[in-house]
Amino acid sequence: MTHSEAATPSLKDLTIDNITDNVNLVNSKTPSPRFKFLLERLVIHLHDYARETRLSQDEWLEAIQFLTATGQMCTNVRQEFILLSDVLGLSLLVDSIDHPKPPGSTDGTVLGPFHTHDAEVLGHGALVSHDQNGEPLLAICTVKDAHGNPIPDVKIDIWETDSSGMYDVQHVGREKPDGRGILTSDTEGKFWFKGIVPVPYPIPHDGPVGKLLAKLNRHPMRPSHMHFMFEKEGWDKLITALYLRGDPYETSDAVFGVKESLVVGLGRVDKAMASQYAGTQEGMKLLTYDFVLVTDKETAQLRDGNSVEALKKLNMVVRIVDGLPVPDVD
Amino acid sequence: MTHSEAATPSLKDLTIDNITDNVNLVNSKTPSPRFKFLLERLVIHLHDYARETRLSQDEWLEAIQFLTATGQMCTNVRQEFILLSDVLGLSLLVDSIDHPKPPGSTDGTVLGPFHTHDAEVLGHGALVSHDQNGEPLLAICTVKDAHGNPIPDVKIDIWETDSSGMYDVQHVGREKPDGRGILTSDTEGKFWFKGIVPVPYPIPHDGPVGKLLAKLNRHPMRPSHMHFMFEKEGWDKLITALYLRGDPYETSDAVFGVKESLVVGLGRVDKAMASQYAGTQEGMKLLTYDFVLVTDKETAQLRDGNSVEALKKLNMVVRIVDGLPVPDVD
């Protein structure tokens, strides 16, 4: 770094009114137009926030300490920043922007912080949960395209809590995954497994995010649900969950994830079904759902169109590069 | 939490367009109007940011990982989130908002992450730095009010790096403070001490903030400076620093702290001075500065007035409670 490089632009006497433009000018030397755009909007919003709230130094320091504590709460099995994003509604918003759904396809929802990459690959009919205290559940589902054609060979990641409302990773001394598994759809697009009836549970609230919720007089509960993630080359990754109708927290999910289209009532396994599906009994709780995936191509078109339209409304002139907007400067 | 409490308002089917209002509605149950205001503006800016940039899930995850790493870089002697705030210009902005300076008073600037609370209380003439490799410096300063009246008994916290550009806390095995000390102004408002001539140095850039700067093609250097903090009951706390004229980074400070009014040229101790100030020699580098403090009352009036004016321009109707704006709702 030579003196002349260091001195462009000249930064001195920055004030409440000129600091934002100057910080963005310094940041504009990044070679990536997208990263430049992301940082530019970040600095504008961050500074506008301080200017609008007239943020005090004490409040700023409290925020610094909160963010520090949030980072330090994270371990390889706990992601407090994802929790923070979840309770502020950011996670759902980003999913909605990145994975727009055309009519007739299955809605997405929050990933949450409890997905892991070590779930076992299971065969159809396998036990996803080994919790003896859980209420047994048979799940029979399909995955299809918007025209009703089955999609085979989809990798389906499933995860749920145990009957105490805890994910496996929340138990000290976890030796192997439980309450989670990976299935693959068959030629009919079908997959089935045995789990337990999901229960409502609190998100971890013994850390900074829990303190924030308490300060906001908000409860930390999530309604009963089971997570599903669908992946197959050429298809838009679907991160979703099914929620149980009538749950006490159905309309007050701490992380804003519930969509009416994802709320299901459970049925009962009948006699014929019990004889068809190994290891099930008549009267056992039954979950059925037909998931509908969208191609990568259709999602990309929809996303690009949404982006252009939304940013036009904001009077921002952009072009789409690799599926993401950057300012259109000549 | 009863069902009816949990169910107000009904949160389901949140979309890109309605999620912000709904999150703010849930958050509005906090009893503090100021905290409600801070959260409301935070959620609005956070969501607007995602909507404007069409933030992707991959980018969101990268941000989550960045914030996590930033939190985990923090120790009791390193504050990576303050560094982040500094390099984004937020720290200077917040200081400017919280500590407005009327004409004739000394400008404030960034606190930085290296102030500690364990500096020793020293007498006038004491050595603030014991670094044998530093170039000796005599500092003779005063602290006065806007009318030129001396202010005695002001607590003055002073800190600077050693000649290698490192603060004491950056050295492994630090046993006691060095390069820092606390003085008290005398009846003439005067304080004097011996330190070393400040040198330019990089902010710690082996962590997430350093990676961010590299990605932005920004250097991590701060121009040579010495920190000062002034505290006395009834007077607005002044956090400032003096910068050396002609420093190669004078106009490109990585944390945007330089103000022309704080840039000083060093003089030389003359013969008369050397005989007057114990332990100094003729020819030794000399720093002189007259600091001007503002009363708490005057600062509060100025701050309140600035707040009302700024928010009026933004068409936000507020009232000032305990020195900070909250929305004025009937």
Side-chain angles (χ1 to χ4, degrees), chain A residues 134-147:
Chain A
E135 187 181 358
L137 176 78
L138 171 64
I140 307 175
C141 304
T142 64
V143 49
K144 297 186 175 170
D145 70 14
H147 308 290

Side-chain angles (χ1 to χ4, degrees), chain A residues 60-77:
Chain A
W60 167 85
L61 188 59
E62 213 175 307
I64 294 281
Q65 287 163 345
F66 175 81
L67 292 170
T68 304
T70 301
Q72 302 205 329
M73 199 76 201
C74 296
T75 65
N76 58 346
V77 294

Side-chain angles (χ1 to χ4, degrees), chain A residues 6 34 57 59 99 250 252, chain B residues 6 12 34 57 59 99 252:
Chain A
R34 175 66 181 168
Q57 239 154 2
E59 291 168 337
H99 299 283
E250 183 180 332
S252 72
Chain B
K12 209 192 270 187
R34 175 66 183 169
Q57 240 154 1
E59 290 167 338
H99 298 284
S252 72

Side-chain angles (χ1 to χ4, degrees), chain A residues 6 11-12 27 34 38 41 45 47 49 52-53 57 59 72 74 88 99 218 250-252 260, chain B residues 6 11-12 27 34 38 41 45 47 49 52 57 59 72 74 79 88 99 218 250-252 260:
Chain A
L11 295 171
K12 209 192 271 187
N27 286 346
R34 175 66 181 168
L38 287 176
R41 299 308 308 169
H45 280 291
H47 289 195
Y49 178 73
E52 285 170 15
T53 60
Q57 239 154 2
E59 291 168 337
Q72 302 205 329
C74 296
L88 294 179
H99 299 283
R218 282 174 54 180
E250 183 180 332
T251 57
S252 72
E260 181 57 31
Chain B
L11 294 172
K12 209 192 270 187
N27 286 348
R34 175 66 183 169
L38 287 176
R41 299 309 306 168
H45 280 292
H47 288 196
Y49 178 73
E52 285 170 15
Q57 240 154 1
E59 290 167 338
Q72 301 204 330
C74 296
Q79 228 312 340
L88 294 178
H99 298 284
R218 282 174 54 180
E250 183 180 333
T251 58
S252 72
E260 180 57 30

Side-chain angles (χ1 to χ4, degrees), chain B residues 1 79 143 263:
Chain B
M1 178 67 54
Q79 228 312 340
V143 49
V263 179

Side-chain angles (χ1 to χ4, degrees), chain A residues 244-266:
Chain A
L244 298 192
R245 183 163 314 284
D247 187 282
Y249 303 101
E250 183 180 332
T251 57
S252 72
D253 183 0
V255 306
F256 310 104
V258 183
K259 295 181 183 182
E260 181 57 31
S261 65
L262 301 173
V263 179
V264 296
L266 296 184

Side-chain angles (χ1 to χ4, degrees), chain B residues 163-208:
Chain B
S163 59
S164 75
M166 302 273 271
Y167 288 95
D168 55 353
V169 291
Q170 294 179 278
H171 289 290
V172 179
R174 168 191 193 255
E175 283 175 1
K176 60 182 187 124
D178 193 25
R180 58 184 80 236
I182 294 169
L183 274 81
T184 308
S185 59
D186 68 15
T187 51
E188 303 300 309
K190 188 173 152 182
F191 62 99
W192 70 281
F193 60 93
K194 283 167 281 186
I196 60 170
V197 175
V199 295
Y201 65 86
I203 61 169
H205 57 293
D206 57 342

